[in-house]
Amino acid sequence: MPLPSSTVENYLKTIFKAQSAQQDRKRLVPMGHLAHALGVVPGTATTMVKALAESGLVDYEPYAGVRLTPAGEKLAALVLRRHRLMELFLVKVVGMSWAEVHDEAERLEHAASDKLIDRIDTMLGCPATDPHGDPIPDSSGSMVTPDYQTLLTCPLGETVVLTRVTDQDATFLRFLEGNSLKPGQMLRVETRDDAADQVVVRGRNNRQIAIGMRAAAKLQVVPAGYGAEAAGVDSPA
Amino acid sequence: MPLPSSTVENYLKTIFKAQSAQQDRKRLVPMGHLAHALGVVPGTATTMVKALAESGLVDYEPYAGVRLTPAGEKLAALVLRRHRLMELFLVKVVGMSWAEVHDEAERLEHAASDKLIDRIDTMLGCPATDPHGDPIPDSSGSMVTPDYQTLLTCPLGETVVLTRVTDQDATFLRFLEGNSLKPGQMLRVETRDDAADQVVVRGRNNRQIAIGMRAAAKLQVVPAGYGAEAAGVDSPA
DNA sequence: ATTATATTTTTGAACAATCAAAACCGATAC
DNA sequence: GTATCGGTTTTGATTGTTCAAAAATATAAT
Ligand SMILES: [Mn+2]
Ligand SMILES: [Mn+2]
Ligand SMILES: [Mn+2]
Ligand SMILES: [Mn+2]
């Protein structure tokens, strides 16, 4: 019952995110996926997951996969809370770029005390989302994950608000920033061309921006003026 | 040559502080002292120190003790820099109490990147001392450690400025704060009574404060108006 | 010099986390 | 049903960090 190591925290967080990413979040996460996401060989993940199961943090079915127990889910959500609050803090208070805060938070999330995190939460006014639009769990570990549409699935021609970016790669984030593609930005999808693998959107100052479909799928949106505030969009300007 | 683990960083920092604390800072630090300061058994310290010697970070003489090499000294100073800048940041920007920032910084010092530390340094205006008056090494790892007098050794009756507190215990720090005994505060030592183990000082609002000699030795001072600014005192009000 | 005491080192073992490579299982394909 | 193949688990080993207890050393006392 000692406090979980950062290794354990990372395993739980990764399982949590993998479960959230699949449509049925009660399904088992395959060992291979987990190992790949953590950058370890599959055998290592198996060993670790068996230990986590022993501690009651996950359910483990050999050859099938792993799933968080309620206890594991709560712990994972609190790690995610520390991560996302820390990211927003680094952007808003410290003035770091949204492209670099992920790596920083990846380490700080294991070192910051609950006291510090609560202080940050208060200082930021109990925010609902982080700089990338990811929802921030509350201090009890619960979180709402709205099922947004993406620039690939939203209706053509209608104005939408960018709400979430589901890729933390620094280069990608810098590209988006250079094109004013940050959460809160209003957009309209002009055309989609499957053959050319291209989506053209009109963004800030009516400027046209063309991006590939792989990238477009990483940009989540809501219809303009509908639930934008509820989704935590800061400045729908 | 991988980056040093937090365990290694803690060993180096502890050796550094032990060397600084002894009058001749080139003397060897006994294994027993090191082990006690780190909260490990002596055998553990011996094992670790031999590994550090292998990496060229310390000089180790069996049965005599350990001392930092120039490489180890630089690394240690940079850990201390991260620790102290983080403490000041937590007090000044995050609004935490000076009594609780030490424990927090004890973990954050291993997680914060150089980029974050530089950002904090700039934000704070490249401060010379932390909330407890401890000097902050610069980014090259050099640091001046003035040899202050204490409330036990300073002249009676003369006005002095409190510059440094050499004990991080939270309860002690809260006691000091409750009596306005923080760096920058002007004081006068009225009486010293060896038999009663008591030092009486006159502090803020001419209020009299009596403390034991053990505690008085932990409060470092400089003559008022002389080198106070150079020592990084913030508000000699 | 001999003895006693305190400190230090060594030895043997443990735990956490990891990998490489061999063995294994399960879902398809024939 | 047997062969095949990707994913999974086992096995055996390594590294880092730690402890308990035994052995060794240095220093101080007699
Ligand atoms: Mn992130
Ligand atoms: Mn994020
Ligand atoms: Mn400190
Ligand atoms: Mn300090």
Side-chain angles (χ1 to χ4, degrees), chain B residues 30-32 46 50 60 62-63:
Chain B
M31 288 297 120
T46 298
K50 286 203 285 193
Y60 167 56
Y63 292 99

Side-chain angles (χ1 to χ4, degrees), chain A residues 3-21:
Chain A
L3 66 153
S5 69
S6 43
T7 302
V8 166
E9 292 189 338
N10 282 332
Y11 272 81
L12 296 178
K13 192 181 59 163
T14 304
I15 297 168
F16 186 101
K17 288 202 285 187
Q19 274 185 253
S20 307

Side-chain angles (χ1 to χ4, degrees), chain B residues 13 17 83-84 87 101-103 105-106 130 132 134 168:
Chain B
K13 193 182 60 163
K17 288 203 284 186
H83 180 99
R84 292 174 178 173
E87 282 187 345
V101 294
H102 179 76
D103 290 341
E106 205 56 51
D130 82 356
H132 314 101
D134 301 311
Q168 311 293 315

Side-chain angles (χ1 to χ4, degrees), chain A residues 31-32 46 50 60 62-63:
Chain A
M31 288 296 122
T46 299
K50 285 203 287 193
Y60 168 55
Y63 292 99

